[in-house]
Amino acid sequence: MAHIDNLVAAIPDEDLRRALQAAVRKLTGGRQFGLVFNEHNPESVLLYKQQSVRRGSKVMVMRDGTADRTDTDETGVWVVTALSAGTASLAHRSDRTMVREAPRDRCVVVREFGDPVYPGLASTDRVVRNPDRPFHTLINSENFHALQALLYPYSGKIDAIYIDPPYNSGARDWKYNNDYVDDGDRHSKWLAMMDKRLRAAKQLLNPTNSVLILAIDENEVHRIALLLEQIFVGSKLQMVTVLINPAGASIADQFSRVDEHLLFVHIGSAQPARTETDTTPGLSSFVSVGGTAKTFAWEPFQRSGGNSRRQDTKAKFFPVWIHAETGQVVGCGEHLPLGSDRSEAPAPPEGCIAQWPIKRDGSEACWQLSAATFRKYLNEGRIRVGARNKTSGRWGISFLTGGHMAAIERGELVIDGRDSAGALIVKNAEGRLRTQVGKTMWTNGAYSATEHGSTLLKKFLPRRSFPYPKSLYAVEDALRYYLIDKPDALVLDFFAGSGTTAHAVMRLNHQDGGRRQSISVTNNDVSESEAETLRARGIYPGADEWEALGICEYITKPRLRAAVTGITHEDHPVVGDYRFVDPFPMADGFNENIEFFELTYEDPNLVSLGRKFTAIAPLLWMVAGARGERVDAIDPAGWAIPDDSNYGVLFEPAHWSNFVERVNQRATSGSPLTHAFVVTDSGSEYRQIVSKLPPGVQAQQLYRDYLRNFEINTRLPA
């Protein structure tokens, strides 16, 4: 780097020198000591069914369902210059002298990074079991564009993101730029893919208090941890190891793998809450291996382990005075400074023995508290003396910690009077378990990905399979640490796969009556082996039979439908019961609603006044909380406020008085609106209308070319 600086400094042209210095600073800024990877060609999206080929369209020519690339045509992107009945005349995107013709039905419209995208959402189905509750949503989409589209309704509002991205094991099991990756650049391509998505995710997360949870194995854990630190600067990152396969997965010439990792990014004030979850059975101080509460135990008063020597403390080496006959504590002496011998301490009261903190090997230790705090705790009944050891002649002394008192305050422990020595009698509360801090090693059998991932999934999807689904209970417990006190939380998973995250959120709602919402995004890719089989039969992407076997249509959607209804895709009740925290029959389903969407790519040539409101209607509904009836079309009256919804849309400013009157009526009737959308290109007109709305209504302006409000894909997230 220094050599480059010297070379640039030697350039005599001052303007050129400054320009190059600025370019070098931009290129190297923030990456000198961080994770370095290539950006690679920006990702593109093939729109197999969504847009027809027009003159001026960017297209890729498909051969046997794959892009027809050549050595001189690395990207395979062409521009349509003319169309005839069955043929398209094409010129290369970057070199218009390269021309060719191709069958029109083999040309597929493509959107590259930088091409404006006008996203919409088209509902493909919904399940409603309780109209009064908000909806979960599942979006069939390439996830980067979905994340950008979700910024409109959810920027800075997401409470938790849980993602399980492709693990990049070296197999051809994930795509970059429409092709499966197994080459030498796979790590760099994987990081480039993750970088864009994580930066978009950061914009969605609540900056004051939220969490990102990322599941990963050893193939990319160290690289992704560095990337997370670069993106989420100032946030605390912690890794948890989870035992997911006790039997072990064989890896040639290596140790058998039994675990995976969860990376927790704590944003703002986020931190894991104390819960009843026992992630490491057998190691908890509060819960037995069988899940029952252990007998309450006081904390030893003499410090042990690290920082337990006399010299490790400045004020915790003093004598405790215990009456020799009654065994009661009568007080304590003052701290004896380091360098002073115990023999120099004042004598204890008559009839008492001075017990100092002494280890078994005879070395001097220290207590847990200072002398002043000890006296306070003694008066409050928080000091207890046990039996005297016949061999050592010492009494066992214990105390109630701040954590014990907090558990009493939470109702997990109860006080049942005082004993004869004045110490509090503390017991476990009937029917309650002590909450505890989670540990960084999770060994609970509930986290077995075989039993509670693959096997459980087959109950909801008989005779269908999905590779490596997560344990439902592992995802549930990971989210519980951050959502236990957030009953209205928004949870996002943009690598939704089989839909475990949404399923886990529904489980949490069932346990405490919460109204948490999940937003799930997954593509509709088929596996490479399935793709080969379909191509051999002459079936290609975009065909109904191909799309029916994609992840979203074949796995995610039917799994979540079965979870909500309790009925499988074969129209039979789901067999079996949920386990652990909240056991009940799976056939009961959940008292939840879910709607299924497909992200649409609206033709920019058709983005004009009044043409595409239906495309963005679901996004407005999401802004208002995704509950109640949706305004799906322009109302002839010029405005619309559904009776059972909490938002309205003013399409024609000329009708503002009727709209405002109805909004005010709802405010006084006890069912006020939370959101209002005003369609106008005039800022002054918008402000005038909004000034008439009652307090508490969040207003937003929509331009009359509706889709222009939602243009994405023209810049990378910061």
Side-chain angles (χ1 to χ4, degrees):
M1 187 65 221
H3 182 56
I4 294 176
D5 289 336
N6 290 335
L7 290 174
V8 173
I11 296 174
D13 187 317
E14 185 177 353
D15 291 338
L16 177 59
R17 184 173 66 250
R18 287 177 178 174
L20 285 172
Q21 287 171 337
V24 169
R25 282 196 300 271
K26 183 177 180 180
L27 183 65
T28 60
R31 291 295 180 92
Q32 294 94 329
F33 305 107
L35 183 67
V36 179
F37 57 92
N38 295 322
E39 293 297 337
H40 298 282
N41 291 329
E43 295 173 76
S44 59
V45 175
L46 291 168
L47 309 182
Y48 289 102
K49 297 174 66 175
Q50 292 201 15
Q51 287 189 10
S52 58
V53 175
R54 300 170 179 270
R55 185 177 179 182
S57 296
K58 283 186 179 180
V59 299
M60 295 182 80
V61 181
M62 309 308 288
R63 181 186 66 241
D64 297 334
T66 58
D68 184 9
R69 294 183 173 94
T70 68
D71 292 339
T72 58
D73 176 26
E74 182 181 347
T75 63
V77 179
W78 300 79
V79 177
V80 178
T81 57
L83 291 168
S84 60
T87 303
S89 299
L90 310 174
H92 193 265
R93 176 198 60 181
S94 56
D95 182 359
R96 294 300 182 95
T97 64
M98 291 176 55
V99 296
R100 64 180 293 190
E101 291 192 345
R104 188 169 179 171
D105 61 0
R106 294 293 183 92
C107 295
V108 177
V109 176
V110 63
R111 286 284 181 272
E112 296 183 287
F113 177 75
D115 297 336
V117 166
Y118 301 96
L121 289 176
S123 177
T124 59
D125 204 357
R126 59 169 26 192
V127 178
V128 181
R129 296 199 74 185
N130 185 341
D132 294 331
R133 292 181 63 83
F135 277 71
H136 302 271
T137 54
L138 169 65
I139 303 173
N140 176 1
S141 169
E142 183 281 326
N143 58 11
F144 180 57
H145 287 160
L147 286 170
Q148 290 185 303
L150 289 172
L151 282 170
Y152 181 77
Y154 297 126
S155 179
K157 296 180 181 179
I158 299 296
D159 296 289
I161 290 178
Y162 184 105
I163 53 173
D164 176 23
Y167 280 3
N168 198 16
S169 62
R172 291 172 61 84
D173 53 7
W174 70 282
K175 285 184 175 181
Y176 187 87
N177 238 349
N178 307 305
D179 195 12
Y180 287 98
V181 177
D182 65 352
D183 58 31
D185 287 332
R186 74 175 193 273
H187 295 298
S188 187
K189 288 180 178 178
W190 189 84
L191 287 168
M193 180 270 294
M194 291 299 300
D195 180 66
K196 286 200 302 182
R197 287 153 179 80
L198 289 171
R199 291 184 186 279
K202 180 181 179 181
Q203 297 177 23
L204 287 161
L205 286 162
N206 183 333
T208 62
N209 186 322
S210 60
V211 65
L212 184 144
I213 308 170
L214 188 148
I216 200 73
D217 74 357
E218 75 275 13
N219 287 290
E220 294 291 357
V221 63
H222 304 296
R223 296 179 183 87
I224 197 65
L226 287 172
L227 182 61
L228 289 170
E229 288 181 343
Q230 287 183 183
I231 295 173
F232 295 93
V233 177
S235 297
K236 293 182 179 178
L237 173 66
Q238 188 171 29
M239 184 175 78
V240 165
T241 300
V242 187
L243 180 66
I244 62 167
N245 184 4
S250 297
I251 305 175
D253 303 322
Q254 298 183 57
F255 292 111
S256 179
R257 185 166 70 84
V258 300
D259 61 356
E260 72 173 13
H261 310 289
L262 291 176
L263 294 172
F264 293 83
V265 182
H266 298 120
I267 297 160
S269 62
Q271 60 182 10
R274 298 179 63 93
T275 73
E276 294 183 1
T277 302
D278 185 12
T279 57
T280 53
L283 300 182
S284 171
S285 303
F286 311 145
V287 184
S288 69
V289 175
T292 58
K294 290 184 177 180
T295 303
F296 171 71
W298 290 56
E299 182 77 8
F301 185 55
Q302 182 171 312
R303 184 176 290 180
S304 60
N307 297 321
S308 63
R309 301 172 302 171
R310 177 184 179 181
Q311 58 265 38
D312 293 331
T313 181
K314 295 182 178 180
K316 297 179 181 178
F317 186 75
F318 56 87
V320 174
W321 298 329
I322 303 175
H323 196 279
E325 292 187 5
T326 65
Q328 290 191 10
V329 175
V330 299
C332 70
E334 296 299 331
H335 167 70
L336 193 64
L338 189 64
S340 300
D341 191 86
R342 296 197 301 273
S343 62
E344 301 175 18
E350 186 176 350
C352 293
I353 294 174
Q355 181 162 310
W356 295 84
I358 306 297
K359 296 185 178 183
R360 291 183 179 181
D361 62 5
S363 62
E364 294 177 329
C366 60
W367 301 121
Q368 299 267 26
L369 307 171
S370 67
T373 305
F374 176 84
R375 295 187 189 102
K376 177 177 180 290
Y377 278 29
L378 180 63
N379 184 57
E380 294 172 348
R382 292 173 63 179
I383 302 294
R384 190 179 74 162
V385 176
R388 190 176 190 183
N389 187 293
K390 294 181 180 179
T391 302
S392 67
R394 294 173 60 82
W395 281 271
I397 308 174
S398 54
F399 76 114
L400 293 177
T401 67
H404 293 147
M405 303 309 291
I408 292 171
E409 186 72 22
R410 293 191 297 268
E412 299 165 5
L413 299 174
V414 294
I415 298 174
D416 190 19
R418 297 198 181 208
D419 63 16
S420 58
L424 296 174
I425 299 172
V426 180
K427 299 179 179 179
N428 291 318
E430 189 72 27
R432 292 286 300 274
L433 289 177
R434 291 275 303 279
T435 58
Q436 52 191 318
V437 177
K439 297 180 174 64
T440 57
M441 175 67 77
W442 294 9
T443 59
N444 196 313
Y447 308 144
S448 167
T450 301
E451 183 177 359
H452 306 300
S454 300
T455 302
L456 181 144
L457 184 60
K458 287 186 178 296
K459 295 179 182 294
F460 295 89
L461 297 175
R463 282 168 285 282
R464 295 185 182 181
S465 61
F466 180 82
Y468 314 119
K470 289 285 174 284
S471 162
L472 172 64
Y473 308 111
V475 179
E476 177 185 321
D477 282 355
L479 291 171
R480 180 179 288 108
Y481 282 114
Y482 303 91
L483 304 184
I484 191 169
D485 297 321
K486 293 182 177 180
D488 297 302
L490 287 169
V491 183
L492 171 64
D493 183 348
F494 54 90
F495 286 101
S498 67
T500 306
T501 300
H503 200 159
V505 172
M506 295 177 194
R507 282 265 303 166
L508 291 173
N509 284 344
H510 188 272
Q511 292 158 26
D512 62 9
R515 296 167 64 86
R516 303 173 186 88
Q517 294 171 258
S518 66
I519 305 121
S520 303
V521 180
T522 188
N523 59 37
N524 203 40
D525 285 346
V526 300
S527 68
E528 187 177 31
S529 60
E530 289 174 324
E532 289 178 357
T533 301
L534 290 168
R535 288 190 182 102
R537 295 170 52 200
I539 300 168
Y540 304 118
D544 290 343
E545 192 170 348
W546 180 293
E547 299 301 321
L549 293 176
I551 294 171
C552 186
E553 293 296 330
Y554 194 67
I555 299 294
T556 325
K557 186 188 290 189
R559 186 256 181 94
L560 293 180
R561 174 183 285 279
V564 174
T565 63
I567 305 296
T568 71
H569 63 281
E570 296 179 340
D571 207 27
H572 299 300
V574 180
V575 177
D577 294 341
Y578 291 109
R579 295 179 57 188
F580 307 110
V581 175
D582 184 25
F584 66 95
M586 294 176 182
D588 287 356
F590 294 100
N591 190 31
E592 303 278 0
N593 311 312
I594 186 167
E595 185 154 7
F596 308 107
F597 293 99
E598 182 176 13
L599 187 79
T600 60
Y601 293 79
E602 302 301 329
D603 193 325
N605 295 313
L606 299 180
V607 179
S608 58
L609 177 62
R611 297 287 295 275
K612 287 295 181 179
F613 177 79
T614 55
I616 57 96
L619 291 168
L620 306 185
W621 177 69
M622 289 178 177
V623 170
R627 54 176 62 93
E629 186 181 346
R630 186 165 60 241
V631 180
D632 275 328
I634 298 173
D635 196 292
W639 59 275
I641 302 177
D643 290 337
D644 63 346
S645 187
N646 60 340
Y647 79 104
V649 183
L650 175 61
F651 297 100
E652 294 296 338
H655 298 281
W656 70 267
S657 59
N658 293 333
F659 178 75
V660 170
E661 180 182 4
R662 180 56 180 154
V663 174
N664 281 281
Q665 287 176 354
R666 287 283 298 269
T668 57
S669 68
S671 59
L673 299 191
T674 58
H675 293 77
F677 299 93
V678 179
V679 180
T680 176
D681 290 338
S682 169
S684 59
E685 188 174 52
Y686 167 74
R687 289 189 294 272
Q688 189 172 15
I689 294 170
V690 169
S691 69
K692 308 294 184 183
L693 297 175
V697 177
Q698 299 180 43
Q700 292 189 24
Q701 181 179 2
L702 287 179
Y703 295 105
R704 298 177 73 83
D705 277 352
Y706 300 113
L707 293 176
R708 298 291 181 191
N709 296 274
F710 303 93
E711 183 180 278
I712 61 173
N713 199 49
T714 56
R715 64 186 64 87
L716 284 172

